Amino acid sequence: MDDYIPVALAGLREHAARVLVVVNGKLTDQGRAALEPVSDEILVRENEGFDIWAHKAALDHVGAGLAEFDEVLLTNDTWFGPVRPYGPVFERMGERAVHFWGMTDHAREEPNPFTGKGVLPYHVQSFWIAVRREMFLSEAWASYWRDLPQMPSYFDAVLKHEALFTEHFTERGYAVDVAYASADYPTDHPALFNPDLLMADGCPVLKRRPFFHYPPFLDRHAVIGRQNLVRVAEHGYPVEVILQNLARNVAPKTLNADVGMLEVLPGVDVSYDPERPFRVAVMVHAGSAAAVVRVLRRVGSIPVPFDLFVSIVDDVDVQEVERLVAAAELPQAGRREVRRTPARRGRDMSAFFIGWRDVLRAGEHDLVIKVHGRTPSKRNVNATRYFRRYQLDNLLLSPGHVANILGLFQREQGLGLVFPPPMHIGYATPGRGWHAYRDRGKDIAEMLGIEVPFDGISPLAPLGGMWIARTAALRLLTEADWTYDEFIKPSKGGAELSKVLERMVPLAAGELGFHTRTVLTPEHAAISHVSLEYKVDQLSSTTPGYPVDQIQYLHRAGWMGAGGMVAMTRMYMRTNHPRTMQVLNPVLSPAGRIARGVMRRGKAVVRRVRGIPETKVEQ
């Protein structure tokens, strides 16, 4: 039971004679304890029919007792509030001579955006519908709910209820009004596109959708989630309960984009409060004594006391490293310890989750700073050099920069992780960040009880293996009893556990309600932005429309591969004859795999005949 729900109900309780909460699915003891103080009764039912069938179950449950009331409010959990007081809205709408009213509405739209044809009629949005006695005691009301169709999907809920409810009752003579009409705003859907204007006008509810909708769509309409959260905070609503819910229910990369979770921090301390210090652990992994020295030089930028834990692989002279660690000019470091871990078994990730498991589980540290001295393999020299600088600069550039990161953790109790955004300079990660790791990641999520949605293409993750984290946010991963054998690099084509866990860290934190922020220095923000801006411009040059249109067009076309005749024909068919391709796919997919296998074997035979050596392509 996320905290935003009791907050919303506590405000409503001041204005309601009775509050009945319907839970679709299961309710834990902890959830019940959170709901009982802000409700009069709790009804638990099967998770079927979305909120509409929950409302039907509630109405059936109350039965004839409904006649005791003057107004019935049907609402759901798709909004945060009260971001502004409920009272003025209830008072204003109570003076209106209507049979039912809503908080917001949606203008008529043609064609219907859900079906691509017909009309989406004008309607009061169903997340908040208040109905008065003359209507809810009528036969029209009773028959509507008695004949309510099944709603197995979200689109059913919209098309069979939300879009029809208003028209159904207005055609039968019932008058409707709305507290914040779309006609008074610059778009036909202000709850999605203009939440800042609604809040400014006193609207007490803030829809969740602007914070989890498809980012390119919100980009097309210039919906700025970060700005909306600033407005929420200005109105006194606890932003932390919004981020807690979103972290648990929204894919991390989507949340990062929709809410603008990137922080560009100055090198001068402007936010850290020394009166509220953290207990900090710094965990360094290195494959050589020289790497230890290089990373410890960066660790010196940490401006607060910390305990230092250094892990090295088993072929490094431990005594030499212990001397280096002991002699390092780090007056902030208290406890200093060096441990060995097996070489080539997960490197820094196994060292962290196994080698220092006892430290992470002890509960003696609030924050952990994880850095390492390894360099990426199969990269050209410049990419390797920039990788080192990018990762370490953005976490440990200077005392002021580090202090500002710590200040983020002080201001946001729900902040679980901070790391640099995944690199795109010198890397081809964009578009394929999950690569071969998604399936094993799903298995680990199921094992650990992680239900946070996975990002569809590339995860928001510390792909460089370096981060600053609240130790409580890592609990699901640190309490798992990993073994070094699990980190052995699998045979060709297998997913390395170390790389999978890199991608799982924000998901594991999100399951516990902790959100993630990415961080850049001004220099790296400038480098990254202009590079990305130029690449997007080039990639967009051959496809018309806004980015959301271009993306959807290319996704419909599908995988291009090397751009050969077969691939281009397939893309043409998918784009222009999708139904035909649906019929042919079951045949074409196996045939394609067979053909590719034959071609690979044929090319290999030709190479052997010609004496051409095998070459390894940089990944």
Side-chain angles (χ1 to χ4, degrees), residues 104-114 118-126 158 162-164 166-167 178 180-194:
T104 59
D105 59 4
H106 193 294
R108 180 182 184 275
E109 195 168 347
E110 187 176 1
N112 188 323
F114 292 94
V119 175
L120 180 70
Y122 166 84
H123 60 276
V124 169
Q125 293 186 295
S126 64
V158 173
E162 179 171 35
L164 301 180
T166 302
E167 190 174 65
V178 65
Y180 299 93
S182 58
D184 297 331
Y185 294 90
T187 68
D188 60 1
H189 193 348
L192 176 61
F193 297 134
N194 309 115

Side-chain angles (χ1 to χ4, degrees), residues 55-75:
H55 289 150
K56 173 177 168 56
L59 293 168
D60 291 343
H61 178 76
V62 176
L66 209 61
E68 300 174 18
F69 303 96
D70 302 304
E71 186 171 82
V72 172
L73 169 63
L74 304 177
T75 187

Side-chain angles (χ1 to χ4, degrees), residues 154-173:
Y154 170 76
F155 294 104
D156 290 315
V158 173
L159 297 175
K160 295 179 180 179
H161 172 72
E162 179 171 35
L164 301 180
F165 182 92
T166 302
E167 190 174 65
H168 178 91
F169 284 100
T170 55
E171 286 179 347
R172 285 158 178 77

